[in-house]
Amino acid sequence: MAKIAILGFGTVGSGVYEVLNRNAASVARRAGEPVEVKYILDVRDFSDRPDAALFVKNIDVILADPEVKVVVETIGGTRFAYPYVKQALESGRSVCTSNKEMVATYGAELLALAKSHNCAFLFEASVGGGTPIITPMHQCLAANVITEVEGIVNGTTNFMLTKMARENMGFDEALKIAQQLGYAETKDPSDDVDGRDACRKIAILSSLVCGHHVYPQNIPTRGIRDVTVEDIQSADKLGCVIKLIAWMKLLPGGGVAAGVEPCLVPKVNQLAGVDDVFNAVKVKGDMLGDVVFYGKGAGKLPTASAVVADVVDALKHGVQMHDSLFWQPAQPAEGMLTDPAPAAYYVRVEGAAPAVVEAIYGKGRLVAEHFDGCAYLVEKADASALEEAARKISAVGGSVKLVLRRLPEEE
């Protein structure tokens, strides 16, 4: 029998416990032996539960027990999770986690620790929740050179944008509903709405594609706070929807570009129809072309099911998982990983007449006119041209309120 420990008994940790109990027979069949939770680490009081004997408050109890083969980390953040995971790996125990912040920050170090101590460090649930994306990328697509990844990887903002589009609802009202339904944090939803959650996820996928660590702080990141109902209506006129897109691509010279930003997504694009709390990641391989992974990006049991699948892999294959799941340590890049390629851009400007906006941005089309400004689709521009245009708009007393890149039509 394989004994495991769960660190953190919140939404995901309690979900892992539930999945292991409810699906004990199928998990045992896949793992080749029964899997039993021996310890649950949590500082809170669970003495009124029938399984209260499982709960401990000190990591040392777990590390001192040679029966524990796999540690599941669902604490979140890095303050406690990172040192606990390091200790577990250094003791030769495999670790399975859903912690995107820890993987995005320390992934290369923890992968190297797992290899050197003959165990596994697995994190399928850190990007797609219950939707598999890590394993398909490093196993099923192993014959492909992956050149691009783009997708909707944050269910909260996708739910909000769907609400705004369907019900002509403003950002604040959509956020309030997301919070009431438990999709967004009540105290501080900024990780979701400002794009940091999506940034960590695309940093992990970028590291996997590039083979070296890509840091979140090098990825330009914008959220959806500035998107209005009027922008969504303007997008519709252009045959597009607005989605928060996390993306990365390999550049011709061997570099990498990545970003998180609200984009105009043409309705013919497969990502355009991904609504509510669903996520989708499109991966471009040189042999296969485009493949899309679609499913619920969050939720207690979907996320827990991905963690339990990792537990099975850790028990069956151990360190062999890192024959393909691995990336090298690297220093943070200097500056941001911006894409130099020109694209079409939607800009919303206040305090400048349409004729002035057209004269400054050049070839394009007027999308909407407001009493205090306009929305304009620039046919082609790069980052430096957009910066120069914004400076000129400011010089004539206006301001650029929103810039959205338009994804290409090709599908």
Side-chain angles (χ1 to χ4, degrees), residues 99-142:
N99 189 335
K100 64 192 79 72
E101 183 179 357
M102 183 175 66
V103 179
T105 309
Y106 300 108
E109 177 191 349
L110 297 174
L111 284 164
L113 265 180
K115 285 187 85 167
S116 63
H117 289 88
N118 203 36
C119 54
F121 176 60
L122 305 179
F123 42 89
E124 179 63 71
S126 67
V127 174
T131 307
I133 178 65
I134 303 284
T135 303
M137 281 179 65
H138 78 86
Q139 287 188 359
C140 311
L141 300 179

Side-chain angles (χ1 to χ4, degrees), residues 62-63 68 71 85-94 117 119:
I62 295 166
L63 295 175
V68 176
V71 172
V85 166
K86 265 187 83 171
Q87 287 175 275
L89 293 171
E90 286 167 348
S91 72
R93 293 170 172 86
S94 294
H117 289 88
C119 54

